Amino acid sequence: MEDFKQRLYENGYFRQEELVFWDCDRNQRARVAALLSRLGAFAGYDYDARGLTHEVLWANREVFLLSRAALRVHDCPRAGDVLDIDTWEAGAKAAHMRRYYEMRDRGGRVRVSAKTDWILVDPVTRKIMRPSAFTAKPLMSSDRPLDCPDPRKIALPAGEREDLGTREIRWSDLDGNGHLFSGNYADIIWDALPEDLQPLVPREFYINYSREAVLGDSLRLEGLRGDEGYFVEGLGPRGVCFTALCVF
């Protein structure tokens, strides 16, 4: 318990997670959606452990929304693997708060690393605020190194886009905020990928969350093979919903 408290004090949160069949694809490798799901969940666990639950933050009208994420898959976890997952705040840049993650196996090897950018929002007015406006606690920073690229703005390069079909947002896609859960975007992307890419494990994965999608929205999915990898964009009734890059 003392070690756990020390981790919290030193700007971190640690937890063990076992990957089960639900987390994995037909080859028993962790789905990108399962890895993305851990990012939002562990940010929440960190703040919950500090007494800053979703309800507390909402009452203060200060909530964080995931804006961008970058993953590096060093060695894709598989069903039955137990991961030691660590997350910590890494300061702020412009309108974004940064949070980093490292997923290690029981031998201490890094299997997945991730960096995320979050925006601070008033949940009532939906107004975006600067990180300096956050009053619930001081935002912490860290110079701890992490072998992962930075999240970045993704733009589809010039070229002919492929029609990947449409995807209606269903009840099971939603999270407790009533919109498409951040982890589920990757499942939508993988269902739409060309067949030759679906079985592949990405070395890196980037996503920008631009506009929320809610129940009944229909996303038009477009793809493009670029020099960096395969791009996917989801267009909803209010404009671009997400843009992603899969690097194989």
Side-chain angles (χ1 to χ4, degrees):
M1 180 60 71
E2 287 303 316
D3 180 63
F4 173 73
K5 290 180 179 178
Q6 186 68 14
R7 283 180 179 274
L8 288 180
Y9 182 74
E10 292 178 350
N11 184 26
Y13 181 87
F14 168 85
R15 179 166 165 169
Q16 285 192 327
E17 290 271 308
E18 181 177 1
L19 293 176
V20 296
F21 266 33
W22 181 90
D23 296 311
C24 299
D25 63 17
R26 62 184 297 175
N27 296 313
Q28 300 187 29
R29 299 172 307 204
R31 298 177 359 263
V32 173
L35 301 175
L36 274 185
S37 296
R38 264 62 177 188
L39 305 186
F42 272 71
Y45 296 154
D46 186 2
Y47 269 35
D48 286 351
R50 302 171 193 273
L52 297 176
T53 63
H54 176 77
E55 291 75 18
V56 169
L57 294 176
W58 189 281
N60 286 344
R61 294 178 59 173
E62 297 175 339
V63 300
F64 286 102
L65 297 179
L66 186 55
S67 175
R68 299 173 182 171
L71 294 176
R72 173 163 285 164
V73 181
H74 305 273
D75 182 7
C76 190
R78 301 179 66 87
D81 283 348
V82 176
L83 299 177
D84 292 342
I85 304 178
D86 198 8
T87 182
W88 62 96
E89 292 178 343
K93 183 177 181 180
H96 290 107
M97 185 203 82
R98 294 172 160 179
R99 175 174 287 276
Y100 294 173
Y101 307 76
E102 205 165 53
M103 305 183 189
R104 296 177 177 265
D105 60 25
R106 284 180 285 187
R109 294 184 304 135
V110 177
R111 305 291 290 275
V112 180
S113 52
K115 294 182 178 181
T116 54
D117 288 343
W118 299 73
I119 55 173
L120 181 65
V121 176
D122 181 329
V124 177
T125 65
R126 312 297 287 180
K127 179 184 177 181
I128 296 175
M129 301 181 288
R130 298 189 67 82
S132 58
F134 189 52
T135 62
K137 79 171 192 64
L139 290 178
M140 303 182 75
S141 188
S142 172
D143 57 1
R144 174 177 167 181
L146 185 69
D147 184 6
C148 182
D150 290 333
R152 60 186 175 89
K153 184 174 177 59
I154 306 166
L156 269 66
E160 185 175 353
R161 299 189 179 195
E162 299 180 72
D163 181 2
L164 302 179
T166 60
R167 173 61 152 78
E168 183 178 343
I169 305 305
R170 308 181 181 100
W171 179 262
S172 60
D173 293 320
L174 307 180
D175 61 16
N177 291 318
H179 55 221
L180 176 60
F181 175 55
S182 59
N184 289 350
Y185 284 75
D187 275 345
I188 291 174
I189 291 166
W190 250 259
D191 285 342
L193 284 177
E195 290 185 5
D196 63 310
L197 299 179
Q198 286 176 320
L200 303 182
V201 175
R203 299 195 315 273
E204 295 173 0
F205 175 79
Y206 304 81
I207 187 167
N208 294 168
Y209 299 96
S210 301
R211 290 179 177 82
E212 66 180 1
V214 298
L215 185 65
D217 281 353
S218 182
L219 300 182
R220 187 174 81 255
L221 304 173
E222 298 180 346
L224 190 148
R225 294 177 191 260
D227 292 338
E228 292 185 87
Y230 195 84
F231 294 81
V232 179
E233 192 160 73
L235 305 167
R238 290 166 291 280
V240 175
C241 175
F242 73 89
T243 310
L245 170 61
C246 311
V247 181
F248 297 104

